[in-house]
Amino acid sequence: MRDDAPNSWESRADRSSLYGFTDLPSVHQRGAVVLTHGEGPYVFDVHGRKYFDANSGLWNMVAGFDHKGLIEAAQAQYARFPGYHAFFGRMSDQTVMLSEKLVEVSPFEKGRVFYTNSGSEANDTMVKILWFLHAAEGKPQRRKILTRVNAYHGVTAVSASMTGKPYNSVFGLPLPGFIHLTCPHYWRNGKEGESEAEFTNRMAAELEATIIKEGPDTIAGFFAEPVMGAGGVITPSKGYFQAVVPILRKYGIPIISDEVICGFGRTGNTWGCETYDFMPDAIISSKNLTAGFFPMGAVILGPELSDRVQAAAEAIEEFPHGFTASGHPVGCAIALKAIDVVMNEGLAENVRKLAPRFEAGMKRLAENPNIGEWRGIGLMGALEAVQDKETKTPFDSKLSVSERIANTCTDLGLICRPLGQAIVLCPPFITTEAQIDEMFETLEKALKKVFAEVA
Ligand SMILES: *Cc1c(COP(=O)(O)O)cnc(C)c1O
């Protein structure tokens, strides 16, 4: 529990931090968990307590917290060339090599890459690319962006407008022209008696009706996470992408796969669009891109968009966009190593190997009368707490059930994330079978304790 002495880490964190995305009553009562270091999938706090981080940091530390190869790649590049930009026709050799690598491992035969410092900036950049492209092609009115309720695309003004979460209303967002379609979550949004196939058809019909109502010629692009991560690990209803992609194609609307979480192995394949078998026009990558060892995002344009955007830039002799640290040499060197580690050192393979055990553990906990649904794929999953399993009635939000479960887990040495009334699990790719089992045992104890208190 928290140490209230004025010079404690908890008090110092309180005095100096504007906590982001933090439940303030919990942090006031319990104190911030201030961390010093990590080992494999574990992190350690200032009191020497050890936690299994079942969220891989924030989805991204997939190779764990002390991966030697990644640390060495960073050290070597810092010693060689510790920083540069990618403006004015100059960039580091690492940047060139990473772009080649990203196109090579992408689903695209050819393409071009643009770098940012985060996933939010990568989505912002993609929107600007689409606005730039459509205007250059004589369609300046093509500016509206389609996403889904519960989508998470980031926090900058544009990417927050794409994010389909009610909390953005405190900022007066979304901006006009950002349209949120129904979240394709069959368990929660399916109607009484509606089959999953009927539900998927309804989602597709809503998309087409929205396009027609708004005017096909006013829409710049459609963005989707293959699996909605921060929306609560919402896997799409069966056949969703097969139903919506042809409609988007029919109206010439570019399809952007936001692979910030799914990319590089999380769903069991390199890309989430592979797992769900659709071909996007561009991919947004971040988080796993550097295994969390460097802040970096990338927009990967597929062949068609790449040619069109290049032609639009040639016409005005410049694409006027970039961040000071775009294509940072250390970030690129780390990303090159991270891709190699994930794809060639058994990490992606381990996700595929662990997935059935992970799913079995989720299913076992979902037998609890207060778990309404388990959902997930690969090594990402969520358990949805409900007061009544039959009617899917949630707990009174004042009970803060998921926060209590997560806090109880923290006390037991397990970090997991409350999201709405769900608990999210997405352990690092280096996790062992024994660690998976232990994670579920600890979570089960926490569920029993909290449900006994509230049910
Ligand atoms: C985390 C996330 C982002 C935003 O990335 P930041 O680096 O936090 O800006 C965008 N899209 C998805 C799908 C994400 O999970």
Side-chain angles (χ1 to χ4, degrees):
M1 247 340 97
R2 70 172 294 151
D3 175 351
D4 272 324
N7 64 347
S8 72
W9 285 103
E10 291 84 348
S11 302
R12 288 164 64 188
D14 270 0
R15 272 198 304 274
S16 59
S17 305
L18 175 59
Y19 294 110
F21 284 125
T22 295
D23 180 55
L24 292 177
S26 285
V27 86
H28 292 328
Q29 191 201 338
R30 302 170 51 82
V33 177
V34 181
L35 300 164
T36 53
H37 67 289
E39 279 173 28
Y42 298 97
V43 289
F44 294 81
D45 72 11
V46 285
H47 305 292
R49 281 185 294 246
K50 177 180 174 184
Y51 306 89
F52 178 78
D53 194 331
N55 286 140
S56 307
L58 205 45
W59 308 89
N60 55 349
M61 304 295 294
V62 296
F65 296 92
D66 61 350
H67 193 280
K68 296 265 175 315
L70 286 166
I71 293 168
E72 279 164 18
Q75 285 170 335
Q77 186 56 36
Y78 270 121
R80 191 170 165 263
F81 194 28
Y84 210 72
H85 61 82
F87 286 34
F88 320 128
R90 294 193 283 279
M91 66 179 69
S92 81
D93 53 357
Q94 304 298 312
T95 315
V96 177
M97 290 193 286
L98 179 60
S99 299
E100 287 174 345
K101 178 54 89 179
L102 285 174
V103 173
E104 180 198 318
V105 302
S106 80
F108 308 132
E109 270 170 36
K110 59 181 197 129
R112 286 176 202 276
V113 182
F114 195 95
Y115 296 101
T116 67
N117 307 301
S118 68
S120 302
E121 290 169 348
N123 278 311
D124 251 59
T125 294
M126 188 67 226
V127 170
K128 283 182 76 179
I129 287 174
L130 292 170
W131 288 346
F132 170 71
L133 175 69
H134 294 313
E137 293 182 347
K139 302 252 169 80
Q141 75 285 2
R142 271 198 109 125
R143 291 182 68 82
K144 290 177 194 166
I145 300 293
L146 298 176
T147 62
R148 290 93 49 81
V149 170
N150 269 325
Y152 186 85
H153 296 294
V155 295
T156 54
V158 160
S159 63
S161 296
M162 297 161 71
T163 290
K165 297 284 209 163
Y167 53 69
N168 279 316
S169 66
V170 301
F171 303 107
L173 296 173
L175 295 166
F178 289 81
I179 298 159
H180 300 110
L181 301 153
T182 300
C183 171
H185 185 190
Y186 175 59
W187 177 80
R188 180 50 81 196
N189 294 333
K191 288 183 178 158
E192 180 96 44
E194 187 178 41
S195 73
E196 189 160 356
E198 287 164 347
F199 174 77
T200 296
N201 287 340
R202 179 156 65 83
M203 296 300 100
E206 180 200 46
L207 170 66
E208 186 153 25
T210 305
I211 293 169
I212 291 166
K213 181 176 131 254
E214 298 289 336
D217 236 28
T218 68
I219 296 169
F222 170 85
F223 286 68
E225 303 154 85
V227 179
M228 290 173 161
V233 191
I234 297 168
T235 50
S237 62
K238 224 168 162 204
Y240 176 79
F241 284 103
Q242 284 61 45
V244 299
V245 165
I247 296 169
L248 294 158
R249 293 265 173 258
K250 178 171 155 191
Y251 294 100
I253 298 169
I255 299 159
I256 317 305
S257 191
D258 183 343
E259 301 262 3
V260 170
I261 284 175
C262 295
F264 297 108
R266 181 57 78 182
T267 66
N269 294 298
T270 306
W271 305 104
C273 60
E274 266 178 85
T275 300
Y276 290 97
D277 196 21
F278 68 98
M279 181 58 84
D281 296 298
I283 283 177
I284 306 300
S285 180
S286 189
K287 291 198 170 99
N288 306 0
L289 174 60
T290 55
F293 277 56
F294 199 88
M296 177 174 240
V299 172
I300 310 169
L301 298 175
E304 194 202 315
L305 276 187
S306 161
D307 286 350
R308 286 166 64 193
V309 174
Q310 184 65 22
E314 298 286 356
I316 60 162
E317 299 187 343
E318 183 176 0
F319 175 55
H321 182 72
F323 301 92
T324 301
S326 290
H328 192 287
V330 177
C332 291
I334 292 172
L336 279 162
K337 183 66 184 178
I339 293 168
D340 186 47
V341 165
V342 168
M343 296 180 77
N344 305 322
E345 285 184 14
L347 270 67
E349 207 178 294
N350 197 43
V351 173
R352 287 190 286 278
K353 194 182 107 202
L354 288 179
R357 200 180 193 92
F358 182 71
E359 182 170 328
M362 299 289 284
K363 280 185 172 150
R364 191 169 63 76
L365 295 200
E367 286 165 15
N368 188 301
N370 290 110
I371 296 295
E373 182 196 44
W374 86 271
R375 48 183 186 260
I377 190 159
L379 216 47
M380 63 194 295
L383 290 162
E384 184 84 29
V386 286
Q387 199 196 351
D388 186 321
K389 199 163 183 147
E390 200 59 37
T391 60
K392 305 180 185 175
T393 311
F395 282 100
D396 183 343
S397 62
K398 284 194 205 80
L399 291 170
S400 302
V401 166
S402 59
E403 279 82 11
R404 282 161 81 153
I405 296 167
N407 289 341
T408 306
C409 285
T410 306
D411 293 341
L412 297 170
L414 171 67
I415 292 178
C416 57
R417 176 171 173 196
L419 222 166
Q421 301 219 348
I423 292 291
V424 167
L425 300 171
C426 49
F429 299 174
I430 53 158
T431 302
T432 63
E433 291 186 344
Q435 288 163 343
I436 290 278
D437 295 347
E438 201 184 332
M439 172 183 82
F440 283 120
E441 279 159 29
T442 307
L443 179 55
E444 187 170 27
K445 275 186 213 147
L447 293 177
K448 283 197 175 135
K449 177 168 182 284
V450 173
F451 290 147
E453 287 164 14
V454 298

